[in-house]
Amino acid sequence: MAKVGIVLVSHSEKVANGIKEIIMEVAQEVPVATAGGTDSGEIGTSFVKIVAAIEEACTDKGAIIFYDLGSAMMNAEMAVEQFPEKNVRIAEHIAILEGTYFAAVESSMNKDVEEILSALKNSFQHSK
Amino acid sequence: MRLTVEKTINWMERMNEIIAEQKEFLTDLDQAIGDGDHGINMARGFQEVIKKLHMTNYSTVSDVLRDVAMTIMSKVGGASGPLYGTAFLKMSLALKGKEEVTLSDVAKAITEALNGLIQRGKAKPGDKTMIDVWDPVANYINELKSFDPDGIVQIAREAMEKTKDLQASKGRAAYLKERSVGHIDPGATSSYYLFLALSDVMKEGD
């Protein structure tokens, strides 16, 4: 059964890959794709890399994107707009490591995108 | 005024020249309140834009601006990639299908770009961002009866300078809170250069 995919968008390739390593310990069967750093491997994010990561991780059930800093989110939004037919959503204002870990576990239990997003919200978004 | 394909390409070439000249200055501004990559990112982005524009033949201004947007989106890593990408894409969409681009078309395109920036960056005027330049320029150009290059440059420059006294509430500078006061915003500065470049090109006459 297809599981919700996870896309990791970080300003750093090492951060994205490091988080992926941590997640793979708990949820090997969940598709996880990374988009870390710019096209030339520098600090930053790449719209092109995010588009490719969505293509890699998104299943029939969809995918959730996690990002680290603000400009990563803008690039993630633009990338999502390239896939109007896919159920790709961005986890907004969720810490990337805790969020992806939590979502990977939820996804491995066959939860759908909406269920995972609302569980994330309940667990991580406390009133300010 | 009439914005032609040739003028649009000249506009981007002039922008590329100014950015190349001011690369160090933009970097200095960004090192003060951001992550220090604005000069390098913009310089690389517009170099790629010029390469792309020289490889292609265009029949409409909209097509030129679309390629500018796509190149910046794919080649610029920092926040300026999605933001300038959005601005040029919105301008391209606003001018789609137009053979002749008049002053009122340009005014509409700049307004659409501003709306796109507000939506993408979730910032508003006064947040110490590029929007602080785009907003007054869009308002000014919408009221013009004929194109006024010097007036636009003046509005844009004053708007850029005003960002110095603002406290950032969006973008990387927001992390600095009150320490962001006293520095001109780098994105506002590169936006000023964009309108300066447009004015320079339009001054050369039709």
Side-chain angles (χ1 to χ4, degrees), chain B residues 107-126:
Chain B
K108 191 172 149 241
I110 290 176
T111 306
E112 287 296 315
L114 168 67
N115 292 338
L117 288 171
I118 290 171
Q119 188 203 4
R120 182 70 66 205
K122 298 179 181 66
K124 56 186 187 309

Side-chain angles (χ1 to χ4, degrees), chain B residues 6 27 42 49 53 87 89 101 128 142 147 167 177 188 204:
Chain B
E6 192 194 352
T27 296
M42 291 294 283
V49 163
L53 297 185
L89 196 59
V101 174
K128 198 182 181 93
N142 271 291
F147 194 75
Q167 179 172 327
K177 299 195 177 76
E204 290 163 10

Side-chain angles (χ1 to χ4, degrees), chain A residues 9-126:
Chain A
V9 181
S10 171
H11 277 60
S12 154
E13 202 168 347
K14 285 181 190 166
V15 167
N17 291 339
I19 294 175
K20 182 175 175 176
E21 267 180 37
I22 296 173
I23 299 171
M24 291 327 253
E25 295 249 293
V26 285
Q28 291 89 349
E29 69 277 33
V30 175
V32 178
T34 60
T38 65
D39 290 351
S40 45
E42 288 161 48
I43 297 292
T45 59
S46 154
F47 164 77
V48 177
K49 276 191 176 178
I50 302 170
V51 167
I54 292 172
E55 280 169 346
E56 185 187 332
C58 192
T59 65
D60 294 344
K61 232 170 159 176
I64 301 176
I65 303 180
F66 293 83
Y67 64 91
D68 56 3
L69 293 164
S71 59
M73 171 160 168
M74 291 192 285
N75 261 331
E77 281 179 349
M78 295 192 94
V80 168
E81 287 161 17
Q82 311 303 309
F83 300 99
E85 76 291 355
K86 287 190 165 133
N87 187 21
V88 187
R89 300 278 299 275
I90 300 174
E92 287 185 36
H93 308 299
I94 300 284
I96 185 167
L97 172 54
E98 291 88 337
T100 40
Y101 193 93
F102 183 93
V105 173
E106 293 280 307
S107 172
S108 72
M109 295 187 294
N110 295 315
K111 299 283 177 62
D112 64 29
V113 167
E114 285 303 324
E115 287 169 329
I116 298 172
L117 283 174
S118 88
L120 280 166
K121 223 174 173 178
N122 291 333
S123 304
F124 295 109
Q125 280 183 346
H126 305 292

Side-chain angles (χ1 to χ4, degrees), chain B residues 7-46:
Chain B
K7 282 248 181 283
T8 310
I9 294 171
N10 291 348
W11 177 18
M12 294 304 115
E13 281 176 341
R14 182 72 192 116
M15 178 64 172
N16 183 41
E17 281 170 18
I18 299 173
I19 291 286
E21 285 162 14
Q22 302 296 335
K23 185 169 137 182
E24 298 295 321
F25 178 61
L26 284 176
T27 296
D28 290 347
L29 289 178
D30 200 26
Q31 272 169 351
I33 57 169
D35 50 7
D37 61 2
H38 194 52
I40 296 155
N41 279 338
M42 291 294 283
R44 187 173 46 205
F46 277 92

